Amino acid sequence: MASSSITKTIPIMAIPNFNVCHKLELIKEEAKSGDPKLQGEEEELSYEFREMLESLPKERGWRTRYLYLFQGFWCQSKEIQAIMSFQKHFKSHQNDVVLATIPKSGTTWLKALTFTVLNRHRFDPVSSTTDHPLLTSNPHDLVPFFEYKLYANGDVPDLSGLASPRTFATHVPFGSLKDSIEEPGVKVVYLCRNPFDTFISSWHYINNIKSEAVSPVSLEEGFDLYCRGVIGFGPFWEHMLGYWKESLRTPEKVLFLRYEDLKQDIESNLKKLASFLGVPFTEEEEQKGVVHAISDLCSFENLKKLEVNKSSKSIKNFENRHLFRKGEVSDWVNYLSPPQAERLSALVDDKLGGSDLTFRYN
Ligand code: PAP
């Protein structure tokens, strides 16, 4: 029965508790050029690593000086270091759950939903109105990223103590994730958002959190970079296609969800998510209003108004409030000119046409 399998697998702690088992040695050097813009961005990278970076194609970054083309996707230097460490050290377990997105596709929402579904017998979303972890923790603290949390800054975490199902998140494309999740039973949930809104959301977020040392990216410049594929973890079309194709090839391993579908009908998507994760809602739960309660608890309106999401910081010390902007479909119409919309539309047709991957964005 669904409920007994969950009871056995609930994490003991709400916030995943792990120790760093060792730390990679990072050589703190003065930035070679003495350029203050490099301070903090590349100063904690080893000499060998910097040499490797120098061999990669690079472009203007959005919130750091450069984005590098690494394993076929665009990425910041510190992310590359963390991803290499993750690829080297992470060992998947049966039943691990990995939430995958390209940034600004609804990662925060997916983390909240998945955490609440998997932990619903420990933290009852119906009756526990005051003590649910989501009320005091940002979803990013409940489901850690491989590249921003677990393997960041040279850390190599000891994850052996985490209760099953261990739940992680990543922005890396499927091609760079697949070797790390070969263990049978590992499940991946991919949340995809239409490229128009994803671009606008990224542009707002990055200009809100970027360091003052990096000049702001104008809408025009950002749009051009985006259409050339130059955005963190992009090109966006390759990111989406990688997970899309894998979800068609191995639907029992990769579930492909769409942000717009969740906005339109959260309850049936929650049921799809729970079934995919092996913990379907029972009839009794449905009658008790569990599905409805989870959708309410994780809603944009509810999360945005919580103190933890108004005044605290989670990922990389960025303020949580920037993660909750509008949460709407089609906000892009307020920003993109008709020629820009035409260009992106043509690009989507060109790159995704024939794949059966379609979006609703009007
Ligand atoms: P991340 O990749 O940096 O973690 P992510 O959570 O994917 O960010 O994206 C944030 C977007 O999701 C924001 O979209 P917007 O800029 O268009 O407003 C944010 O508002 C939206 N969002 C966050 N939480 C929710 C939620 N509970 N429901 C719907 N949308 C949400």
Side-chain angles (χ1 to χ4, degrees):
M1 230 177 76
S3 58
S4 61
S5 68
I6 298 168
T7 316
K8 271 187 259 156
T9 57
I10 47 171
I12 294 151
M13 305 281 292
I15 295 191
N17 190 20
F18 58 89
N19 297 315
V20 172
C21 63
H22 71 269
K23 203 164 172 76
L24 302 175
E25 200 172 315
L26 302 176
I27 302 169
K28 291 200 181 197
E29 289 186 4
E30 284 290 302
K32 271 189 242 160
S33 63
D35 182 342
K37 287 181 182 171
L38 273 177
Q39 305 292 326
E41 180 184 335
E42 291 180 356
E43 65 183 354
E44 288 191 7
L45 304 175
S46 71
Y47 184 73
E48 292 73 17
F49 185 77
R50 271 206 222 150
E51 273 197 328
M52 192 280 287
L53 276 186
E54 285 306 313
S55 72
L56 299 177
K58 65 185 177 197
E59 285 265 2
R60 181 222 202 279
W62 288 61
R63 66 177 175 80
T64 50
R65 196 179 189 207
Y66 296 119
L67 278 175
Y68 298 88
L69 189 62
F70 170 73
Q71 297 183 354
F73 63 95
W74 293 98
C75 208
Q76 295 166 29
S77 53
K78 284 192 160 185
E79 292 164 349
I80 296 174
Q81 189 175 52
I83 292 165
M84 287 171 69
S85 175
F86 155 70
Q87 289 175 333
K88 184 170 174 194
H89 297 284
F90 178 73
K91 300 274 174 284
S92 59
H93 289 181
Q94 210 186 11
N95 300 330
D96 279 352
V97 175
V98 179
L99 308 181
T101 50
I102 196 163
K104 316 329 285 180
S105 303
T107 326
T108 313
W109 194 13
L110 181 64
K111 286 184 177 190
L113 294 167
T114 306
F115 176 87
T116 310
V117 166
L118 287 174
N119 292 282
R120 64 189 190 263
H121 292 267
R122 179 167 170 82
F123 305 113
D124 183 353
V126 178
S127 60
S128 67
T129 46
T130 51
D131 61 357
H132 196 282
L134 265 183
L135 301 177
T136 46
S137 304
N138 179 267
H140 290 290
D141 292 324
L142 301 174
V143 180
F145 275 116
F146 290 127
E147 61 272 16
Y148 296 120
K149 178 81 180 171
L150 300 173
Y151 294 89
N153 304 317
D155 289 354
V156 178
D158 174 6
L159 305 174
S160 59
L162 294 183
S164 173
R166 307 184 308 174
T167 312
F168 306 110
T170 189
H171 285 322
V172 304
F174 186 75
S176 294
L177 175 69
K178 66 177 191 316
D179 291 348
S180 307
I181 53 160
E182 277 184 340
E183 190 72 24
V186 177
K187 296 200 180 233
V188 177
V189 182
Y190 185 74
L191 182 58
C192 189
R193 188 180 192 187
N194 79 73
F196 292 73
D197 287 325
T198 307
F199 164 67
I200 292 300
S201 184
S202 302
W203 179 71
H204 278 288
Y205 185 74
I206 287 167
N207 279 327
N208 277 324
I209 58 150
K210 66 162 200 59
S211 111
E212 284 191 4
V214 180
S215 59
V217 181
S218 70
L219 187 78
E220 290 66 30
E221 189 184 8
F223 184 74
D224 187 59
L225 287 167
Y226 189 71
C227 289
R228 292 195 291 114
V230 184
I231 179 105
F233 303 92
F236 68 81
W237 56 88
E238 288 186 5
H239 202 282
M240 293 168 180
L241 272 180
Y243 285 95
W244 171 247
K245 287 182 181 163
E246 200 54 28
S247 73
L248 298 178
R249 205 179 69 81
T250 57
E252 67 294 343
K253 185 153 186 129
V254 180
L255 175 68
F256 193 96
L257 297 174
R258 288 176 173 81
Y259 181 94
E260 297 76 22
D261 294 345
L262 267 63
K263 287 294 288 186
Q264 189 174 51
D265 181 357
I266 183 63
E267 294 197 17
S268 62
N269 279 282
L270 260 174
K271 289 181 202 168
K272 199 191 275 186
L273 175 66
S275 296
F276 174 76
L277 295 174
V279 289
F281 294 107
T282 61
E283 248 175 58
E284 192 189 338
E285 284 184 303
E286 288 198 34
Q287 276 163 14
K288 216 178 114 194
V290 173
V291 187
H292 188 71
I294 295 176
S295 79
D296 274 358
L297 179 63
C298 301
S299 70
F300 176 83
E301 293 72 23
N302 186 54
L303 295 184
K304 185 181 171 82
K305 69 172 194 258
L306 298 171
E307 199 51 42
V308 64
N309 295 326
K310 285 200 281 195
S311 56
S312 300
K313 298 177 176 183
S314 292
I315 318 172
K316 292 183 68 130
N317 233 13
F318 299 141
E319 291 177 57
N320 292 338
R321 67 191 171 94
H322 297 308
L323 292 164
F324 304 92
R325 192 181 63 92
K326 276 194 180 172
E328 289 173 0
V329 176
S330 295
D331 185 41
W332 65 269
V333 298
N334 299 312
Y335 296 91
L336 296 186
S337 66
Q340 285 174 323
E342 267 171 42
R343 179 178 172 191
L344 187 50
S345 202
L347 182 66
V348 169
D349 286 349
D350 179 38
K351 300 295 185 187
L352 302 179
S355 68
D356 282 340
L357 173 53
T358 52
F359 305 100
R360 278 185 293 109
Y361 46 83
N362 286 313

